[in-house]
């Protein structure tokens, strides 16, 4: 979490990048499981073009994104719902999410929160950021360089490169997701060591 002068400078930098058109608005195009790694993938697609940005994510975050995309409702708030409620109750509002960079195959994102006239940048994982943005109905942006890394690869080319969402294990629909979540055991998440 960045707080204070550093967060203000970083938030100003993010807005300046957007003004220079270095930030590209994206949306969640699809969510699927990569058959070769058995890992969930969220596919972001630029709004004003055909380029895509695939990001491999964890199963918990994939479930949170899938639940929101399917407009599933739960009796009690889930983690991302809770974070949105806390942010709102503390007087903050999510302005945007920015998928900002990749280092050593790890993507980084920022939540830009406006509170009392101050723009605060919070470091977060892209998967959590996307889940929160969907719940807050907030725009998601990716840095132009990230889309350039993948190149002008569009969904059709992604499929021909051997990562075909239609032939990979499809991501669960709402009913399958609910059944899968009910069947999970604590051991499915590995051994917890503090």
């Amino acid at each position: 979490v960045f707080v204070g002068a550093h967060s203000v400078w970083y938030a100003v930098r993010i807005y300046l990048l957007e003004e220079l058109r270095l930030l590209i608005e994206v949306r969640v195009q699809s969510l699927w499981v990569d058959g070769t790694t058995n890992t969930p993938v969220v596919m972001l697609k630029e709004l004003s073009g055909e380029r895509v940005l695939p990001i491999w994510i964890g199963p918990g975050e994939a479930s949170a994104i899938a639940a929101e995309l399917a407009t599933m409702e739960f009796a009690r708030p889930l983690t991302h719902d809770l974070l949105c409620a806390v942010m709102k109750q503390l007087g903050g509002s999510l302005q945007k999410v920015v998928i900002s960079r990749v280092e050593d195959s790890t993507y980084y994102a920022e939540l830009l929160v406006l509170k009392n006239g101050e723009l605060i940048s919070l470091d977060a994982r892209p998967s959590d950021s996307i889940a929160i943005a969907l719940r807050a109905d907030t725009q998601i942006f990716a840095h132009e360089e990230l889309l350039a890394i993948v190149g002008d690869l569009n969904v059709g080319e992604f499929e021909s490169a051997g990562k075909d969402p239609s032939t990979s294990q499809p991501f669960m629909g709402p009913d399958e997701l609910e059944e899968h979540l009910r069947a999970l055991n604590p051991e499915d998440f590995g051994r917890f060591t503090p």
Side-chain angles (χ1 to χ4, degrees):
V1 176
F2 299 110
V3 180
H6 182 267
S7 67
V8 171
W9 164 244
Y10 193 78
V12 168
R13 182 175 161 250
I14 292 293
Y15 270 101
L16 290 174
L17 288 173
E18 183 181 344
E19 289 302 314
L20 295 171
R21 305 280 188 241
L22 295 177
L23 293 181
I24 308 299
E25 189 172 358
V26 296
R27 68 173 175 79
V28 175
Q29 178 182 349
S30 60
L31 189 61
W32 51 281
V33 175
D34 179 349
T36 58
T37 62
N38 203 30
T39 303
V41 179
V42 60
M43 184 74 76
L44 301 176
K45 180 182 176 291
E46 65 180 332
L47 287 183
S48 61
E50 293 299 315
R51 293 182 298 175
V52 293
L53 179 61
I55 301 176
W56 278 252
I57 62 176
E61 294 80 12
S63 293
I65 292 169
E68 187 61 26
L69 290 173
T71 62
M72 293 176 66
E73 296 195 18
F74 298 91
R76 303 290 299 145
L78 300 179
T79 305
H80 298 98
D81 301 309
L82 178 61
L83 184 57
C84 287
V86 167
M87 191 176 354
K88 184 177 179 180
Q89 289 297 317
L90 293 175
S93 66
L94 184 62
Q95 298 299 296
K96 67 178 69 174
V97 163
V98 177
I99 314 299
S100 56
R101 68 187 193 279
V102 63
E103 293 177 14
D104 299 323
S105 301
T106 300
Y107 284 87
Y108 292 82
E110 284 84 30
L111 299 170
L112 294 175
V113 178
L114 184 63
K115 182 176 186 300
N116 297 330
E118 180 182 0
L119 195 59
I120 302 166
S121 175
L122 303 170
D123 181 33
R125 294 183 300 190
S127 53
D128 289 323
S129 299
I130 292 166
I132 293 167
L134 291 172
R135 283 161 176 77
D137 194 26
T138 301
Q139 295 171 299
I140 303 169
F141 291 86
H143 196 283
E144 169 65 33
E145 288 180 359
L146 297 178
L147 291 165
I149 288 172
V150 180
D152 290 327
L153 193 66
N154 60 35
V155 175
E157 293 167 303
F158 195 79
E159 292 169 357
S160 66
K163 304 290 186 191
D164 182 355
S166 63
T167 60
S168 294
Q169 177 184 344
F171 202 76
M172 301 170 218
D175 295 334
E176 293 91 358
L177 175 62
E178 183 177 359
E179 184 58 36
H180 177 73
L181 293 173
R182 287 183 199 278
L184 288 176
N185 295 312
E187 295 81 28
D188 294 333
F189 297 101
R191 182 172 169 79
F192 174 75
T193 53

